[in-house]
């Protein structure tokens, strides 16, 4: 079987840095994606890591450690608009769909 | 215009009724997906299709069926709706880079 674990809720202060962790157990592994979903909206793609290390895209970065079956999403200089749910998703092969975690609800407070 | 559209956006139906949710895309992607979202449960895959002649069950396909009418169209049917199918339904598309999916705006379904 397979499983993904991420915290259900995280709260952080505007301007701060927050890290959302994701651990996974899968029979095969190609890579880890991250998606953002605002309340009432559709999920939107943020990043994908296939190799170990840190990928940076503006204020957002994503990290992967294949040996630890672990990844995280790092959000810097938090803004109120970053309040949303964040989902990690595992890609097990090129011909299977993503498997999504249950999501982490991030609340940014003043 | 939106790349991935879903109709209807909201639907109220009664137990036992058959309903169809439709998804269309202009992205030219071969791969399409239907997900269900319940609060706190993330996105659960119902069915997916990697091309027009390919249909595959996801993790929660019971009670649902799909039709891939064309590359651009993928419909989800509830043959006999029941209250626990009340949820938010998303259609998504991707090219061969499955890790990057593009979601429609969602259909909010209420089964009474």
């Amino acid at each position: 079987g397979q499983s993904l674990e991420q915290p259900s809720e995280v709260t952080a202060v505007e301007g701060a840095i927050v890290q959302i962790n994701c651990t996974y157990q899968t029979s095969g592994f190609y890579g880890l994606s991250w998606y953002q979903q605002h309340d009432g909206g559709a999920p939107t793609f943020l990043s994908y890591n296939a190799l170990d290390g840190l990928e940076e895209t503006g204020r957002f970065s994503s990290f992967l450690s294949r040996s630890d079956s672990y990844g995280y999403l790092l959000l810097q200089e938090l803004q109120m608009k970053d309040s949303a749910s964040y989902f990690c998703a595992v890609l097990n092969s090129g011909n299977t769909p993503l498997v999504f975690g249950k999501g982490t609800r991030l609340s940014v407070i003043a | 215009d939106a790349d991935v559209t879903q109709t209807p956006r909201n639907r109220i139906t009664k137990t036992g009724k058959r309903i169809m949710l439709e998804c269309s895309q202009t992205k030219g992607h071969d791969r399409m997906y239907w997900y269900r979202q319940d609060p706190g449960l993330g996105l659960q895959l119902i069915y997916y299709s990697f091309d027009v002649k390919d249909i595959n069950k996801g993790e929660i396909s019971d009670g649902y069926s799909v039709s891939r009418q064309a590359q651009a169209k993928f419909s989800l049917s509830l043959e006999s709706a029941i209250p626990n199918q009340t949820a938010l339904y998303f259609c998504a598309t991707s090219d061969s880079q499955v890790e990057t999916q593009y979601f429609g705006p969602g259909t909010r379904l209420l089964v009474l």
Side-chain angles (χ1 to χ4, degrees), chain B residues 4-6 22-24 32-35 74 89-93 102-106:
Chain B
V4 185
T5 58
Q6 292 183 235
E22 298 187 343
C23 177
S24 294
M32 299 186 73
Y33 314 82
W34 275 105
Y35 291 93
F74 193 34
Y89 291 85
F90 285 105
C91 172
T93 75
Y102 299 86
F103 284 79

Side-chain angles (χ1 to χ4, degrees), chain B residues 44-59:
Chain B
Q44 296 176 281
L45 184 65
I46 307 172
Y47 272 94
Y48 64 101
S49 170
F50 277 2
D51 65 43
V52 174
K53 297 181 180 179
D54 175 71
I55 301 289
N56 302 281
K57 293 183 178 181
E59 56 190 306

Side-chain angles (χ1 to χ4, degrees), chain A residues 16-70:
Chain A
I17 299 172
V18 70
Q19 179 174 310
I20 299 174
N21 297 321
C22 175
T23 57
Y24 58 88
Q25 284 188 306
T26 65
S27 55
F29 180 79
Y30 265 37
L32 190 70
S33 290
W34 287 93
Y35 285 76
Q36 178 192 59
Q37 184 183 26
H38 287 99
D39 284 347
T44 56
F45 173 79
L46 290 176
S47 67
Y48 174 69
N49 294 66
L51 302 175
D52 285 356
L54 191 68
E55 296 274 348
E56 298 183 52
T57 308
R59 293 187 299 114
F60 292 8
S61 302
S62 57
F63 172 83
L64 177 65
S65 169
R66 297 173 69 103
S67 60
D68 294 324
S69 298
Y70 164 74

